[in-house]
């Protein structure tokens, strides 16, 4: 299978206001002993590895600065009767392709099958020298890798109309030389609960919490609602609460086969 997904995004701070973005771009083969991929895909770490978060407003921890949602490299994945195993070796640069002695090795082992047993629990580890990328840009003054060590436990439990997802991460604090917004807390706890309504789960109500532990406890909370109008059209909305700020976002998303 060869998958390519690209898009054009509006960015008022970019020349011309339009930025081309390459999202999925990987070749996957099935030689019999598992699935092997090469290109731009999800590293083998945590809940984000199995979540289809493209187009959704609620995002896993990989979109909060804990690892990478997508990275360039290669990986291996294999399903067993109850569980799976995955490994990846990637650049540790995220969206851009950059070579400055950077690398990232990741692995995840899980137990359980969501389709047959309604649960899956996994353990993940990652280590590397990663780059301080900012979206699709890598300013030259940031092209010096920094060390990252991270481990995590995650679990998903399905109970009728209810879905529970939880993830606990430990990571070494990354001290970027030029960019200070990476979370300073060495531990983070993620929890998302989803309630499905209507036939074929066309309506979803979700509550997502993220706790970061450092000198105190910082809590981020998001409330989400989505409704599948047609097989191709969905509307979504979230309200996010963090410190004294409240953010609301609405989305109309159309996805159609060509």
């Amino acid at each position: 299978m060869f998958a390519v997904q690209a898009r054009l995004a509006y960015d008022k701070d970019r020349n011309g206001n339009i930025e081309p973005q390459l999202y999925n771009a990987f070749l996957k083969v099935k030689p019999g002993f598992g699935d092997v991929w090469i290109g731009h895909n999800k590293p083998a770490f945590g809940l984000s590895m199995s979540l289809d978060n493209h187009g959704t407003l609620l995002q896993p921890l990989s979109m909060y600065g804990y690892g990478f949602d997508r990275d360039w490299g290669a990986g291996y994945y294999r399903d067993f009767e109850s569980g799976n195993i995955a490994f990846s070796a990637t650049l540790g640069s995220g969206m851009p392709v950059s070579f400055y002695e950077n690398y990232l090795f990741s692995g995840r082992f899980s137990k359980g099958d969501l389709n047959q047993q309604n649960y899956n629990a996994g353990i993940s580890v990652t280590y590397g020298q990663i780059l301080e990328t900012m979206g699709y840009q890598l300013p030259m003054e940031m092209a010096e890798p920094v060390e990252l060590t991270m481990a995590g436990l995650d679990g998903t439990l399905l109970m009728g109309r209810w879905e529970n997802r939880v993830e606990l991460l430990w990571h070494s604090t990354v001290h970027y030389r030029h960019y200070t917004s990476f979370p300073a807390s060495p531990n983070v706890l993620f929890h998302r609960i989803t309630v499905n309504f209507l036939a074929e789960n066309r309506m979803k109500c979700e509550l997502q919490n993220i706790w970061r532990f450092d000198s105190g406890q910082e809590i981020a909370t998001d409330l989400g609602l989505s409704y599948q109008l047609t097989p191709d059209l969905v509307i979504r909305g979230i309200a996010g609460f963090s410190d004294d700020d409240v953010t609301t976002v609405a989305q109309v998303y159309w996805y159609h086969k060509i």
Side-chain angles (χ1 to χ4, degrees), residues 211-252:
W211 292 270
R212 297 187 182 110
F213 303 99
D214 40 34
S215 57
Q217 186 181 62
E218 178 183 351
I219 300 177
T221 301
D222 294 297
L223 296 172
L225 177 67
S226 66
Y227 179 61
Q228 192 82 36
L229 289 170
T230 72
D232 301 328
L233 184 65
V234 60
I235 56 174
R236 300 185 179 99
I238 63 169
F241 307 88
S242 180
D243 296 331
D244 297 327
D245 298 328
V246 178
T247 303
T248 58
V249 180
Q251 179 194 64
V252 178

Side-chain angles (χ1 to χ4, degrees), residues 184-234:
S185 167
N187 301 290
V188 60
L189 176 63
F190 168 97
H191 178 244
R192 179 190 297 177
I193 184 169
T194 303
V195 186
N196 298 292
F197 297 98
L198 305 180
E200 300 178 348
N201 298 334
R202 293 170 57 198
M203 178 178 286
K204 294 179 179 290
C205 296
E206 298 181 286
L207 171 63
Q208 179 170 298
N209 288 286
I210 298 174
W211 292 270
R212 297 187 182 110
F213 303 99
D214 40 34
S215 57
Q217 186 181 62
E218 178 183 351
I219 300 177
T221 301
D222 294 297
L223 296 172
L225 177 67
S226 66
Y227 179 61
Q228 192 82 36
L229 289 170
T230 72
D232 301 328
L233 184 65
V234 60

Side-chain angles (χ1 to χ4, degrees), residues 34-204:
D35 295 354
V36 179
W37 63 266
I38 183 171
H40 197 227
N41 202 1
K42 293 189 174 186
F45 189 91
L47 276 179
S48 62
M49 181 187 137
S50 56
L51 280 178
D52 181 10
N53 59 310
H54 179 60
T56 63
L57 295 178
L58 290 178
Q59 295 293 314
L61 288 175
S62 60
M63 295 299 289
Y64 285 83
Y66 295 92
F68 295 95
D69 185 68
R70 297 291 195 282
D71 203 9
W72 292 94
Y76 168 79
Y77 179 92
R78 181 170 182 177
D79 281 320
F80 298 97
E81 289 186 3
S82 179
N84 51 62
I85 192 170
F87 301 98
S88 64
T90 57
L91 291 181
S93 57
M95 292 301 182
V97 179
S98 303
F99 300 94
Y100 295 93
E101 298 183 354
N102 45 292
Y103 60 89
L104 185 67
F105 297 111
S106 306
R108 180 178 182 267
F109 171 78
S110 74
K111 178 71 173 176
D113 188 325
L114 286 178
N115 294 324
Q116 299 184 20
Q117 298 168 308
N118 294 328
Y119 83 94
N120 181 263
I123 181 171
S124 304
V125 292
T126 189
Y127 173 81
Q129 299 282 340
I130 65 174
L131 292 176
E132 182 185 353
T133 56
M134 300 175 64
Y136 286 79
Q137 306 301 316
L138 180 65
M140 288 304 298
E141 68 270 16
M142 299 180 181
E144 187 174 351
V146 294
E147 185 177 18
L148 171 68
T149 303
M150 191 161 59
L153 299 172
D154 65 84
T156 301
L157 178 64
L158 308 181
M159 300 180 298
R161 294 188 176 274
W162 296 80
E163 303 175 15
N164 273 282
R165 291 177 171 86
V166 63
E167 185 167 18
L168 175 63
L169 294 187
W170 172 89
H171 71 88
S172 58
T173 301
V174 176
H175 296 287
Y176 283 130
R177 295 168 176 81
H178 305 279
Y179 190 53
T180 59
S181 68
F182 189 92
S185 167
N187 301 290
V188 60
L189 176 63
F190 168 97
H191 178 244
R192 179 190 297 177
I193 184 169
T194 303
V195 186
N196 298 292
F197 297 98
L198 305 180
E200 300 178 348
N201 298 334
R202 293 170 57 198
M203 178 178 286
K204 294 179 179 290

